[in-house]
Amino acid sequence: SDLLHAGRRSGAARRSNLYSAVGRVVRVPIARLTAIAFRTLVDDLHLRLRERGFRDVRPSYGFVLLEARSHPLGVVDVARLMGVTKQAASKLVDSMVGANYLRDVDADDARARLVTLSPRGRRLLSAVEEIYRELEAEWAQAIGSARVEALRDDLVRVLEARHGGLPSVRPAVAC
């Protein structure tokens, strides 16, 4: 199945590794499972993006592109979103403009640089949504469509209860 790629172990062999760090655990913590699922989905996403010709996408780009869908962003916005300095955010924006995923917007204040999605950035986000549909279809092959939709609904419910709505997707806070 596409869900279990070559080189990945299946079943009991894979589950035993989940427990090895702390000894035998009766139930795997949801945090660990969602972290593993997230990492798997993101790794598979980037593999498929490369196969579709998006070979220059860095993991940090997705956070900025998702936020730029709804409104232009300044470097300060990017710094806040990514949890980095304005200088680091400026370099990230420069690389994304250079790769033609973002484009500069004329700002009223020449000191405030604003960027928005470029046509290539919109094509990338469309490809991402298509790939996520493919990956979710693979999950549905494993557990059924109804279970995938129930999982989505449950996660939305938990996140909305915790945050009062769905928050922006952002990178992990550096330790």
Side-chain angles (χ1 to χ4, degrees):
S1 154
D2 289 331
L3 187 60
L4 300 175
H5 297 286
R8 292 191 186 166
R9 293 177 298 179
S10 63
R14 199 171 53 246
R15 280 190 295 277
S16 67
N17 284 340
L18 295 175
Y19 309 129
S20 61
V22 293
R24 191 79 178 143
V25 176
V26 175
R27 293 180 61 86
V28 180
I30 291 172
R32 189 175 306 143
L33 291 171
T34 57
I36 294 166
F38 171 77
R39 186 74 264 150
T40 300
L41 289 167
V42 170
D43 290 348
D44 290 349
L45 167 68
H46 283 271
L47 175 70
R48 292 179 193 200
L49 283 172
R50 284 190 298 278
E51 291 169 353
R52 286 170 166 83
F54 292 100
R55 291 180 177 81
D56 58 348
V57 178
R58 297 191 336 221
S60 57
Y61 287 10
F63 301 105
V64 177
L65 292 171
L66 285 173
E67 196 68 15
R69 282 189 309 193
S70 58
H71 59 277
L73 299 174
V75 171
V76 171
D77 300 319
V78 173
R80 189 176 304 117
L81 173 72
M82 300 300 291
V84 298
T85 65
K86 286 187 276 185
Q87 180 180 8
S90 182
K91 288 180 180 181
L92 175 59
V93 168
D94 285 344
S95 71
M96 292 180 73
V97 169
N100 199 25
Y101 291 114
L102 296 175
R103 64 177 178 78
D104 285 297
V105 175
D106 291 330
D108 295 335
D109 181 353
R111 295 170 295 168
R113 181 182 190 185
L114 289 177
V115 293
T116 191
L117 286 178
S118 69
R120 184 172 189 230
R122 290 193 188 287
R123 285 192 304 277
L124 172 61
L125 286 179
S126 291
V128 166
E129 297 302 325
E130 179 181 322
I131 292 167
Y132 279 152
R133 284 190 296 275
E134 292 169 9
L135 294 170
E136 288 178 16
E138 292 172 17
W139 281 35
Q141 287 177 338
I143 64 172
S145 301
R147 298 281 308 267
V148 170
E149 290 309 316
L151 175 61
R152 181 191 326 277
D153 292 344
D154 289 345
L155 289 170
V156 167
R157 209 169 295 126
V158 167
L159 292 169
E160 286 177 339
R162 170 70 168 84
H163 299 284
L166 288 179
S168 295
V169 178
R170 60 180 176 76
V173 177
C175 297

